[in-house]
Amino acid sequence: VVVIECRRAGEGITKNTTAKITSQHGLIYKKLLTYKGEQRALEYAMANQLAIQKYEEIIDELQIDCDYEVLPNYIYTLDNEQKILQEVEAAKRLGLPAVFTRETTLPFKVKAAIRFDNQAQFHPLKFLDAVADTLKIYENTRVTQIHKSGLIITDQGSVRAKHVVIATHYPFINVPGFYFIRLHQERFYLSALEGENREKFNLDGMYLDADPDGFTFRKYKDYLIIGSGGHRTGKYQPPDAYEMIEKAARKWYPNAKVKYRWSNQDCITPDSIPYIGRYSVRTPNIYVATGFNKWGMTSSMVAAMIISDMITGKENEYRKVFIPRRLMLSGSRVLLKDMAIITISLLAEHLKIPHDRLKDIERGKAGVIRHNGQRVGVYRDNNDKYYFVTTKCPHLGCKLEWNQNELTWDCPCHGSRFDYQGKMINNPAMRDAFDVCIKKKRTHD
Ligand code: FES
């Protein structure tokens, strides 16, 4: 087995996760029972519970020092007790360790919460570091093509494999598979606080608000990590995500100081279930693991268990719910919204809509100008230096949007991101966002 990695292993999404190892993925079980039926809901629940056990086994076996702590996980609500009661009932029916409670160690009162015992948190990079020692990894090697025959072309040479697993966060092969019409990406912002007295920071577990606009909490050593401000990449972004988190934090922890800030990006499926299994019916030896819906710790372990069983010819009793080609009744609204956003964004890139004048762009901000009949994104830094990128996404041509929180150009269609100089940060795009015409005038004093 070899791993081919375009940058350094662990450099991507995993390093920014809150690393909650839990089968409690928001309020998912009521939804699964309603739309997928008892059998599929059970497969989802049991696969994720097994993933928690698997982490413990690997950590024990390899004696990995990765700050692994067994803790309860909570989903709380400030206003809708009914939905928590329904979720507790659904989770219990599936044999999950669910308890209804109003008692938490959060710094505010909640209306109700659901607690799952014996879940866990850890330091994902310490875990990866130990696991990576047992693997052969080719870093700084970008895969550019994968053929049905198992021939893999990279920028450093080619490899031939009997089986290929595409675990590139967002799959970069558009056809077959067509993941670009059934997967979008979302961003989320986090701050790590320190300096509050230990009593106050002392959470007994990991917490997440059932409301998507609410907050997530977990402790790491003397730090408290708080996150919020989630939105679709390239759309609906709050102009001040970090300020919003830190304003709330100051209210709850007045003595705390913000030590770190960062953001993360997740692939979202319309029905909230990952895609794990064959990449497409036309590629029997190519597999996919994607769409973890912000629950990448257990979902990646589930993917590892299912795909390794498929390759070694073992039956896996939990795999059906994750089959990538499935009916998505529960996701049809999200699918339609995704299609509408893609259509609007593609059109916007080609329409002659009004644009900014270079001299009107403020320092530290960005705008879109017209140059040689083409739309060009311009960022003006605080020293009056201008940076030019194409606003046409190199993936499939949607219109890139400026993200003032992170000084990046983000694509609302599938979530590719580029820094203000046009350098690619997140796939599925395979190249930077500048072209020949812009290259000539990329920077301009
Ligand atoms: Fe697909 Fe931009 S990420 S068009």
Coordinates of all heavy atoms in Angstrom, one line a residue, residues 216-302:
T216 N -19.7 25.5 19.0 CA -19.1 24.2 19.3 C -18.0 24.5 20.4 O -17.4 25.6 20.4 CB -18.4 23.5 18.1 OG1 -17.9 22.3 18.5 CG2 -17.3 24.3 17.5
F217 N -17.8 23.5 21.3 CA -16.8 23.7 22.4 C -16.1 22.4 22.6 O -16.7 21.3 22.5 CB -17.5 24.0 23.8 CG -18.3 25.2 23.8 CD1 -19.6 25.3 23.3 CD2 -17.8 26.3 24.5 CE1 -20.3 26.5 23.4 CE2 -18.5 27.5 24.6 CZ -19.8 27.6 24.1
R218 N -14.8 22.5 22.8 CA -14.0 21.4 23.4 C -12.8 22.0 24.1 O -12.3 23.1 23.8 CB -13.6 20.3 22.3 CG -12.5 20.7 21.4 CD -11.8 19.5 20.9 NE -10.7 19.1 21.8 CZ -9.8 18.1 21.4 NH1 -9.8 17.6 20.2 NH2 -8.8 17.8 22.3
K219 N -12.3 21.2 25.0 CA -11.1 21.6 25.7 C -9.8 21.0 25.1 O -9.9 19.9 24.6 CB -11.2 21.2 27.2 CG -11.6 22.2 28.1 CD -11.2 21.9 29.5 CE -9.7 22.2 29.6 NZ -9.1 22.1 30.9
Y220 N -8.7 21.6 25.1 CA -7.5 21.0 24.8 C -6.4 21.5 25.8 O -6.1 22.7 25.7 CB -7.0 21.2 23.4 CG -5.7 20.5 23.1 CD1 -5.6 19.2 23.2 CD2 -4.5 21.3 23.0 CE1 -4.3 18.5 23.0 CE2 -3.3 20.7 22.8 CZ -3.2 19.3 22.8 OH -2.0 18.7 22.7
K221 N -6.0 20.7 26.7 CA -5.1 21.1 27.8 C -5.6 22.3 28.4 O -6.7 22.3 28.9 CB -3.7 21.2 27.2 CG -3.1 19.9 26.7 CD -1.7 19.9 26.4 CE -1.2 18.5 26.2 NZ 0.1 18.4 25.6
D222 N -4.8 23.4 28.5 CA -5.3 24.7 29.1 C -6.1 25.6 28.2 O -6.5 26.7 28.6 CB -4.1 25.5 29.7 CG -3.5 24.8 30.9 OD1 -4.2 23.9 31.5 OD2 -2.4 25.1 31.2
Y223 N -6.4 25.1 27.0 CA -7.1 25.9 26.1 C -8.6 25.5 26.0 O -8.9 24.3 26.1 CB -6.5 25.8 24.6 CG -5.1 26.2 24.5 CD1 -4.1 25.3 24.3 CD2 -4.8 27.6 24.6 CE1 -2.8 25.7 24.2 CE2 -3.4 28.0 24.5 CZ -2.5 27.0 24.3 OH -1.2 27.4 24.2
L224 N -9.4 26.5 25.7 CA -10.8 26.1 25.3 C -11.0 26.5 23.8 O -10.7 27.7 23.5 CB -11.7 26.9 26.2 CG -13.2 26.6 25.9 CD1 -13.5 25.2 26.5 CD2 -14.1 27.6 26.6
I225 N -11.5 25.6 23.1 CA -11.7 25.9 21.6 C -13.2 26.1 21.4 O -14.0 25.3 21.8 CB -11.2 24.7 20.8 CG1 -9.7 24.4 21.0 CG2 -11.5 24.9 19.3 CD1 -9.2 23.1 20.4
I226 N -13.5 27.3 20.8 CA -14.9 27.7 20.5 C -15.0 27.9 19.0 O -14.1 28.6 18.4 CB -15.3 28.9 21.3 CG1 -15.1 28.7 22.8 CG2 -16.8 29.2 21.0 CD1 -15.7 29.9 23.6
G227 N -16.0 27.4 18.4 CA -16.2 27.6 17.0 C -17.6 28.0 16.6 O -18.6 27.7 17.3
S228 N -17.8 28.7 15.5 CA -19.1 29.0 15.0 C -19.0 29.7 13.6 O -17.9 29.6 13.0 CB -19.8 30.0 15.9 OG -21.1 30.2 15.6
G229 N -20.0 30.3 13.1 CA -20.0 31.1 11.9 C -19.9 30.2 10.6 O -19.4 30.7 9.6
G230 N -20.5 29.0 10.7 CA -20.4 28.1 9.5 C -21.2 28.7 8.3 O -22.3 29.4 8.5
H231 N -20.7 28.5 7.1 CA -21.5 28.9 5.9 C -21.0 28.2 4.7 O -19.9 27.6 4.7 CB -21.3 30.5 5.7 CG -19.9 30.9 5.4 ND1 -19.3 30.9 4.1 CD2 -18.9 31.2 6.2 CE1 -18.1 31.2 4.2 NE2 -17.8 31.4 5.5
R232 N -21.7 28.2 3.6 CA -21.3 27.6 2.4 C -20.1 28.4 1.9 O -20.1 29.6 1.9 CB -22.4 27.6 1.4 CG -22.1 26.9 0.1 CD -23.2 27.1 -0.9 NE -22.8 26.4 -2.2 CZ -23.4 25.4 -2.7 NH1 -24.5 24.9 -2.1 NH2 -23.0 24.8 -3.8
T233 N -19.1 27.7 1.4 CA -17.9 28.3 0.9 C -18.3 29.2 -0.3 O -19.0 28.8 -1.2 CB -16.9 27.3 0.4 OG1 -16.6 26.4 1.5 CG2 -15.6 27.9 -0.1
G234 N -17.8 30.5 -0.2 CA -18.0 31.4 -1.3 C -19.4 32.1 -1.2 O -19.8 32.8 -2.1
K235 N -20.2 31.8 -0.1 CA -21.5 32.4 0.0 C -21.9 32.6 1.4 O -21.5 31.9 2.3 CB -22.5 31.4 -0.6 CG -23.0 31.9 -2.0 CD -24.2 31.1 -2.5 CE -25.3 32.0 -3.1 NZ -24.9 33.2 -3.8
Y236 N -22.8 33.6 1.6 CA -23.3 33.9 3.0 C -22.3 34.1 4.0 O -22.5 33.7 5.2 CB -24.3 32.8 3.4 CG -25.2 32.2 2.4 CD1 -25.2 30.9 2.1 CD2 -26.1 33.0 1.7 CE1 -26.0 30.3 1.1 CE2 -27.0 32.5 0.7 CZ -26.9 31.2 0.4 OH -27.7 30.6 -0.5
Q237 N -21.1 34.5 3.7 CA -20.1 34.5 4.7 C -20.3 35.7 5.7 O -20.5 36.8 5.2 CB -18.6 34.5 4.2 CG -18.4 35.4 3.1 CD -17.4 34.8 2.2 OE1 -16.9 33.7 2.3 NE2 -16.9 35.6 1.2
P238 N -20.2 35.5 7.0 CA -20.3 36.6 7.9 C -19.0 37.5 7.7 O -17.9 36.9 7.6 CB -20.3 36.0 9.3 CG -19.8 34.6 9.1 CD -19.9 34.2 7.7
P239 N -19.1 38.8 7.7 CA -18.0 39.6 7.4 C -17.0 39.6 8.6 O -15.8 40.0 8.4 CB -18.5 41.1 7.3 CG -19.9 41.0 7.9 CD -20.4 39.6 7.9
D240 N -17.4 39.2 9.8 CA -16.6 39.2 10.9 C -16.7 38.0 11.8 O -17.1 38.0 13.0 CB -17.0 40.4 11.8 CG -18.5 40.4 12.0 OD1 -19.2 39.5 11.4 OD2 -19.1 41.3 12.7
A241 N -16.5 36.8 11.2 CA -16.7 35.6 11.9 C -15.9 35.5 13.2 O -16.5 35.1 14.2 CB -16.4 34.4 11.0
Y242 N -14.7 35.8 13.2 CA -13.8 35.7 14.4 C -14.3 36.7 15.5 O -14.4 36.3 16.6 CB -12.4 35.9 14.1 CG -11.8 34.9 13.2 CD1 -11.3 35.2 11.9 CD2 -11.7 33.5 13.6 CE1 -10.8 34.2 11.1 CE2 -11.1 32.6 12.8 CZ -10.7 32.9 11.5 OH -10.2 31.9 10.7
E243 N -14.7 37.9 15.1 CA -15.1 38.9 16.1 C -16.4 38.4 16.8 O -16.6 38.5 18.0 CB -15.4 40.2 15.4 CG -14.2 41.1 15.2 CD -13.3 40.6 14.0 OE1 -13.9 39.9 13.2 OE2 -12.1 40.9 13.9
M244 N -17.3 37.8 16.0 CA -18.5 37.3 16.5 C -18.3 36.2 17.6 O -18.8 36.2 18.7 CB -19.4 36.7 15.3 CG -20.7 36.2 15.7 SD -20.8 34.5 16.0 CE -20.4 33.8 14.4
I245 N -17.3 35.3 17.3 CA -17.0 34.2 18.2 C -16.4 34.8 19.5 O -16.7 34.5 20.6 CB -16.0 33.2 17.6 CG1 -16.7 32.5 16.4 CG2 -15.5 32.2 18.6 CD1 -15.7 31.6 15.6
E246 N -15.5 35.8 19.3 CA -14.7 36.3 20.4 C -15.6 37.2 21.3 O -15.4 37.3 22.5 CB -13.4 36.9 19.9 CG -12.5 35.8 19.4 CD -11.5 36.2 18.3 OE1 -11.3 37.4 18.2 OE2 -11.0 35.3 17.7
K247 N -16.6 37.9 20.7 CA -17.5 38.7 21.4 C -18.3 37.8 22.4 O -18.4 38.1 23.6 CB -18.4 39.4 20.5 CG -19.3 40.5 21.2 CD -20.0 41.3 20.1 CE -21.2 42.0 20.8 NZ -22.3 42.3 19.9
A248 N -18.8 36.7 21.9 CA -19.5 35.7 22.7 C -18.6 35.2 23.8 O -19.0 35.1 25.0 CB -20.1 34.6 21.9
A249 N -17.4 34.8 23.4 CA -16.4 34.3 24.4 C -16.1 35.2 25.5 O -16.0 34.8 26.7 CB -15.1 33.9 23.7
R250 N -16.0 36.5 25.2 CA -15.7 37.5 26.3 C -16.8 37.6 27.3 O -16.6 37.8 28.4 CB -15.5 38.9 25.6 CG -14.1 39.2 25.2 CD -13.8 40.6 24.9 NE -14.6 41.2 23.8 CZ -14.3 41.0 22.5 NH1 -13.3 40.4 22.2 NH2 -15.1 41.5 21.6
K251 N -18.0 37.4 26.8 CA -19.2 37.4 27.7 C -19.1 36.2 28.7 O -19.4 36.4 29.9 CB -20.5 37.3 26.8 CG -21.7 37.6 27.6 CD -22.9 37.8 26.6 CE -23.2 36.5 25.9 NZ -24.1 36.4 24.8
W252 N -18.8 35.1 28.2 CA -18.7 33.9 29.0 C -17.5 33.7 29.8 O -17.5 33.1 30.9 CB -18.9 32.6 28.1 CG -20.2 32.6 27.4 CD1 -21.4 33.0 27.8 CD2 -20.4 32.2 26.0 NE1 -22.4 32.9 26.8 CE2 -21.8 32.3 25.7 CE3 -19.6 31.6 25.1 CZ2 -22.3 32.0 24.5 CZ3 -20.1 31.3 23.8 CH2 -21.5 31.4 23.6
Y253 N -16.4 34.2 29.2 CA -15.1 34.0 29.9 C -14.3 35.3 29.9 O -13.4 35.5 29.1 CB -14.2 32.9 29.1 CG -14.9 31.6 29.0 CD1 -15.5 31.2 27.7 CD2 -15.0 30.7 30.0 CE1 -16.2 30.0 27.6 CE2 -15.7 29.5 29.9 CZ -16.2 29.2 28.7 OH -16.9 28.0 28.5
P254 N -14.7 36.2 30.8 CA -14.2 37.6 30.7 C -12.6 37.7 30.8 O -12.0 38.7 30.4 CB -14.9 38.3 31.8 CG -15.6 37.3 32.6 CD -15.7 36.1 31.8
N255 N -12.0 36.7 31.5 CA -10.6 36.8 31.7 C -9.8 36.2 30.6 O -8.5 36.2 30.6 CB -10.2 36.2 33.0 CG -10.9 36.9 34.2 OD1 -11.0 38.1 34.2 ND2 -11.4 36.1 35.1
A256 N -10.5 35.5 29.7 CA -9.7 34.7 28.7 C -9.2 35.6 27.6 O -9.7 36.7 27.2 CB -10.7 33.7 28.1
K257 N -8.1 35.1 27.0 CA -7.4 35.8 25.8 C -7.5 34.9 24.6 O -7.4 33.7 24.8 CB -6.0 36.1 26.1 CG -5.7 36.9 27.4 CD -5.4 38.4 26.9 CE -5.3 39.3 28.1 NZ -6.3 39.2 29.2
V258 N -7.6 35.5 23.5 CA -7.6 34.7 22.3 C -6.2 34.4 21.9 O -5.3 35.3 21.7 CB -8.3 35.4 21.1 CG1 -8.2 34.6 19.8 CG2 -9.7 35.7 21.4
K259 N -5.8 33.1 21.9 CA -4.4 32.7 21.6 C -4.3 32.3 20.1 O -3.3 32.7 19.5 CB -4.1 31.5 22.5 CG -2.7 31.0 22.4 CD -1.7 31.9 23.0 CE -0.3 31.4 22.8 NZ 0.7 32.3 23.2
Y260 N -5.3 31.6 19.5 CA -5.2 31.2 18.1 C -6.5 31.4 17.4 O -7.6 31.3 18.1 CB -4.7 29.7 18.0 CG -3.4 29.4 18.7 CD1 -3.4 28.7 19.9 CD2 -2.2 29.8 18.1 CE1 -2.2 28.4 20.5 CE2 -1.0 29.5 18.7 CZ -1.0 28.8 19.9 OH 0.1 28.5 20.6
R261 N -6.5 31.6 16.1 CA -7.7 31.6 15.3 C -7.4 30.8 14.1 O -6.3 30.8 13.5 CB -7.9 33.0 14.7 CG -8.4 34.0 15.7 CD -8.3 35.3 14.9 NE -9.2 36.3 15.5 CZ -9.4 37.5 15.0 NH1 -8.9 37.8 13.8 NH2 -10.3 38.3 15.5
W262 N -8.4 30.0 13.6 CA -8.2 29.3 12.3 C -9.6 28.9 11.8 O -10.6 29.1 12.5 CB -7.3 28.1 12.5 CG -7.9 27.0 13.3 CD1 -8.5 25.8 12.8 CD2 -7.9 26.8 14.7 NE1 -8.9 25.0 13.8 CE2 -8.5 25.6 15.0 CE3 -7.5 27.6 15.8 CZ2 -8.7 25.1 16.3 CZ3 -7.7 27.2 17.1 CH2 -8.3 25.9 17.3
S263 N -9.6 28.4 10.6 CA -10.9 28.0 10.0 C -10.7 26.6 9.3 O -9.6 26.2 9.2 CB -11.3 29.0 8.9 OG -10.3 29.1 7.9
N264 N -11.8 26.0 9.0 CA -11.7 24.7 8.4 C -12.8 24.6 7.3 O -13.7 25.4 7.2 CB -11.9 23.6 9.4 CG -11.1 22.4 9.0 OD1 -10.4 22.4 8.0 ND2 -11.3 21.3 9.7
Q265 N -12.7 23.6 6.5 CA -13.6 23.4 5.3 C -14.0 21.9 5.3 O -13.2 21.0 5.4 CB -12.8 23.8 4.1 CG -13.6 23.5 2.8 CD -13.5 24.6 1.8 OE1 -13.7 25.8 2.2 NE2 -13.2 24.3 0.6
D266 N -15.3 21.7 5.1 CA -15.9 20.4 5.1 C -16.7 20.1 3.8 O -17.4 21.0 3.3 CB -16.8 20.2 6.3 CG -16.0 20.2 7.6 OD1 -15.3 19.2 7.9 OD2 -15.9 21.3 8.2
C267 N -16.7 18.8 3.4 CA -17.6 18.5 2.3 C -18.9 18.0 2.8 O -19.0 17.2 3.7 CB -16.9 17.3 1.5 SG -15.5 17.8 0.6
I268 N -20.0 18.5 2.2 CA -21.3 18.2 2.7 C -22.1 17.5 1.6 O -22.2 18.0 0.5 CB -22.0 19.6 3.0 CG1 -21.2 20.5 3.9 CG2 -23.4 19.3 3.6 CD1 -20.9 19.9 5.3
T269 N -22.8 16.4 2.0 CA -23.6 15.7 1.1 C -25.1 16.1 1.3 O -25.5 16.5 2.4 CB -23.6 14.2 1.3 OG1 -24.0 13.9 2.6 CG2 -22.1 13.6 1.1
P270 N -26.0 16.0 0.3 CA -27.3 16.4 0.5 C -28.1 15.7 1.6 O -29.0 16.3 2.2 CB -28.0 16.2 -0.9 CG -26.8 16.2 -1.9 CD -25.7 15.6 -1.1
D271 N -27.8 14.4 1.8 CA -28.6 13.7 2.8 C -27.8 13.5 4.1 O -28.2 12.7 4.9 CB -29.0 12.3 2.2 CG -27.9 11.4 1.8 OD1 -26.7 11.8 2.0 OD2 -28.2 10.3 1.4
S272 N -26.7 14.2 4.2 CA -25.8 14.1 5.5 C -25.1 12.8 5.7 O -24.7 12.5 6.9 CB -26.7 14.5 6.7 OG -27.4 15.7 6.5
I273 N -25.1 12.0 4.7 CA -24.4 10.7 4.9 C -23.1 10.7 4.0 O -23.3 11.1 2.8 CB -25.3 9.5 4.5 CG1 -26.5 9.5 5.4 CG2 -24.6 8.2 4.7 CD1 -27.6 8.5 5.0
P274 N -22.0 10.3 4.4 CA -20.8 10.3 3.6 C -20.9 9.3 2.4 O -21.8 8.4 2.4 CB -19.7 9.7 4.5 CG -20.1 9.9 5.9 CD -21.6 9.8 5.8
Y275 N -20.1 9.6 1.3 CA -20.0 8.7 0.2 C -18.8 7.8 0.4 O -17.7 8.2 0.4 CB -19.8 9.4 -1.1 CG -20.9 10.4 -1.5 CD1 -20.6 11.7 -1.8 CD2 -22.2 9.9 -1.5 CE1 -21.7 12.6 -2.2 CE2 -23.3 10.8 -1.9 CZ -23.0 12.1 -2.3 OH -24.0 13.0 -2.6
I276 N -19.1 6.5 0.7 CA -18.0 5.5 0.9 C -18.3 4.3 0.1 O -19.3 3.7 0.2 CB -17.9 5.2 2.4 CG1 -17.6 6.4 3.3 CG2 -16.8 4.1 2.6 CD1 -17.8 6.2 4.8
G277 N -17.3 3.9 -0.8 CA -17.5 2.7 -1.6 C -17.0 2.9 -3.0 O -16.0 3.6 -3.2
R278 N -17.6 2.3 -4.0 CA -17.1 2.4 -5.4 C -17.2 3.8 -5.9 O -18.3 4.4 -5.7 CB -17.9 1.4 -6.3 CG -17.6 0.0 -6.0 CD -17.3 -0.9 -7.2 NE -16.4 -2.0 -6.8 CZ -16.8 -3.0 -6.1 NH1 -18.0 -3.1 -5.7 NH2 -15.9 -3.9 -5.7
Y279 N -16.2 4.3 -6.6 CA -16.3 5.6 -7.1 C -17.4 5.8 -8.1 O -18.1 6.8 -8.1 CB -14.9 6.0 -7.8 CG -14.7 7.4 -8.0 CD1 -14.2 8.2 -7.0 CD2 -15.0 8.0 -9.2 CE1 -14.0 9.6 -7.2 CE2 -14.9 9.4 -9.4 CZ -14.4 10.2 -8.4 OH -14.2 11.5 -8.5
S280 N -17.6 4.8 -9.0 CA -18.7 4.8 -9.9 C -18.9 3.3 -10.4 O -18.0 2.5 -10.2 CB -18.4 5.7 -11.1 OG -17.5 5.0 -12.0
V281 N -20.0 3.1 -11.0 CA -20.3 1.7 -11.5 C -19.3 1.3 -12.6 O -19.0 0.2 -12.9 CB -21.7 1.5 -12.0 CG1 -22.7 1.3 -10.9 CG2 -22.2 2.6 -12.9
R282 N -18.7 2.3 -13.3 CA -17.8 2.1 -14.4 C -16.4 1.8 -14.0 O -15.5 1.6 -14.8 CB -17.9 3.2 -15.4 CG -19.1 3.2 -16.3 CD -19.4 4.5 -17.0 NE -18.2 5.0 -17.7 CZ -18.1 6.2 -18.1 NH1 -19.1 7.1 -17.9 NH2 -17.0 6.7 -18.7
T283 N -16.1 2.0 -12.7 CA -14.7 1.9 -12.2 C -14.7 0.9 -11.0 O -14.6 1.4 -9.8 CB -14.2 3.3 -11.8 OG1 -15.1 3.9 -10.9 CG2 -14.0 4.2 -13.0
P284 N -14.8 -0.4 -11.2 CA -14.9 -1.3 -10.1 C -13.7 -1.3 -9.1 O -13.9 -1.7 -8.0 CB -15.1 -2.7 -10.8 CG -14.6 -2.5 -12.2 CD -14.8 -1.0 -12.5
N285 N -12.6 -0.9 -9.6 CA -11.4 -1.0 -8.7 C -11.0 0.4 -8.1 O -9.9 0.5 -7.6 CB -10.2 -1.6 -9.4 CG -10.5 -3.1 -9.7 OD1 -11.3 -3.7 -9.0 ND2 -9.9 -3.6 -10.7
I286 N -11.9 1.4 -8.3 CA -11.6 2.7 -7.8 C -12.6 3.0 -6.7 O -13.8 2.8 -6.9 CB -11.5 3.8 -8.9 CG1 -10.5 3.4 -9.9 CG2 -11.2 5.1 -8.3 CD1 -10.4 4.4 -11.1
Y287 N -12.2 3.5 -5.6 CA -13.1 3.7 -4.4 C -13.0 5.1 -4.0 O -12.0 5.8 -4.3 CB -12.6 2.8 -3.2 CG -12.5 1.3 -3.6 CD1 -11.3 0.9 -4.2 CD2 -13.5 0.5 -3.4 CE1 -11.2 -0.4 -4.6 CE2 -13.4 -0.9 -3.8 CZ -12.3 -1.3 -4.4 OH -12.2 -2.6 -4.8
V288 N -14.0 5.6 -3.3 CA -14.1 7.0 -2.8 C -14.4 7.0 -1.3 O -15.2 6.2 -0.8 CB -15.1 7.8 -3.7 CG1 -16.5 7.3 -3.4 CG2 -15.0 9.3 -3.4
A289 N -13.9 8.0 -0.6 CA -14.3 8.3 0.7 C -14.3 9.8 0.8 O -13.3 10.5 0.8 CB -13.2 7.8 1.7
T290 N -15.6 10.4 0.9 CA -15.7 11.8 0.9 C -17.1 12.2 1.6 O -17.9 11.3 1.9 CB -15.6 12.4 -0.5 OG1 -15.6 13.8 -0.4 CG2 -16.8 12.0 -1.4
G291 N -17.3 13.5 1.7 CA -18.6 14.0 2.2 C -18.8 13.6 3.6 O -19.9 13.1 4.0
F292 N -17.8 13.9 4.5 CA -17.9 13.5 5.9 C -18.8 14.5 6.7 O -19.0 14.3 7.9 CB -16.5 13.4 6.5 CG -15.7 12.3 5.9 CD1 -14.3 12.3 6.1 CD2 -16.3 11.3 5.2 CE1 -13.6 11.3 5.6 CE2 -15.5 10.3 4.6 CZ -14.2 10.3 4.8
N293 N -19.3 15.5 6.1 CA -20.3 16.4 6.8 C -19.9 16.9 8.2 O -20.6 16.9 9.1 CB -21.7 15.6 6.9 CG -22.2 15.3 5.6 OD1 -22.7 16.2 4.9 ND2 -22.2 14.0 5.2
K294 N -18.6 17.2 8.3 CA -18.0 17.8 9.5 C -17.7 16.8 10.6 O -17.4 17.1 11.7 CB -18.8 18.9 10.1 CG -19.2 20.0 9.1 CD -19.8 21.2 9.8 CE -20.1 22.3 8.7 NZ -20.7 23.5 9.2
W295 N -17.9 15.5 10.3 CA -17.6 14.4 11.3 C -16.6 13.5 10.7 O -16.8 12.3 10.6 CB -19.0 13.7 11.6 CG -20.0 14.6 12.2 CD1 -21.1 15.1 11.5 CD2 -19.9 15.2 13.5 NE1 -21.7 16.0 12.4 CE2 -21.1 16.0 13.6 CE3 -19.1 15.1 14.6 CZ2 -21.3 16.8 14.7 CZ3 -19.4 15.8 15.7 CH2 -20.5 16.6 15.8
G296 N -15.4 14.1 10.4 CA -14.4 13.3 9.7 C -13.7 12.3 10.5 O -13.1 11.4 9.9
M297 N -13.7 12.4 11.8 CA -12.9 11.4 12.6 C -13.5 10.0 12.5 O -12.8 9.1 12.1 CB -12.8 11.9 14.1 CG -12.1 13.2 14.3 SD -10.4 13.3 13.7 CE -10.6 14.1 12.1
T298 N -14.8 9.9 12.9 CA -15.3 8.5 12.8 C -15.6 8.2 11.4 O -15.4 7.0 11.0 CB -16.6 8.4 13.6 OG1 -17.5 9.5 13.3 CG2 -16.3 8.4 15.1
S299 N -16.0 9.2 10.5 CA -16.4 8.8 9.1 C -15.1 8.3 8.4 O -15.3 7.4 7.6 CB -16.9 10.0 8.4 OG -18.1 10.5 9.0
S300 N -14.0 8.9 8.6 CA -12.8 8.4 7.9 C -12.4 7.0 8.4 O -12.0 6.1 7.6 CB -11.6 9.3 8.1 OG -11.3 9.5 9.5
M301 N -12.7 6.7 9.7 CA -12.4 5.3 10.2 C -13.4 4.3 9.6 O -13.0 3.2 9.2 CB -12.4 5.3 11.7 CG -11.9 4.0 12.3 SD -10.2 3.7 11.9 CE -9.4 4.6 13.2
V302 N -14.7 4.8 9.5 CA -15.7 3.9 8.9 C -15.3 3.6 7.4 O -15.3 2.5 6.9 CB -17.1 4.6 8.9 CG1 -18.1 3.9 8.0 CG2 -17.6 4.7 10.3

